[in-house]
Amino acid sequence: MSHLDLPLDPALRTALDDLADAQGRTPEEVALHAVRAYLSQEGARVRAVAEGSRTTKPIC
């Protein structure tokens, strides 16, 4: 597995740690889940926009 370093401001790091603690998970697990969810949602949105632009007929 590849690693990625992310700069987190103290408030964001505290929020990540607090959420991980509340869920009984590590901060790394929470962050990985968040990245996966974001990529899935954004990927779907980008694909939908791309599909829409391919099916839209020119106005002219």
Side-chain angles (χ1 to χ4, degrees):
M1 182 180 290
S2 179
H3 292 269
L4 175 67
D5 291 322
L6 297 173
L8 302 177
D9 62 61
L12 188 56
R13 180 58 201 232
T14 298
L16 176 62
D17 290 341
D18 289 348
L19 180 59
D21 186 51
Q23 293 179 338
R25 300 163 68 189
T26 66
E28 292 81 6
E29 289 171 322
V30 173
L32 182 57
H33 176 79
V35 168
R36 285 180 175 150
Y38 176 81
L39 291 174
S40 177
Q41 292 170 357
E42 283 298 297
R45 186 186 67 78
V46 168
R47 283 188 299 278
V49 168
E51 287 296 318
S53 66
R54 280 191 288 231
T55 60
T56 303
K57 295 180 182 177
I59 296 174
C60 300

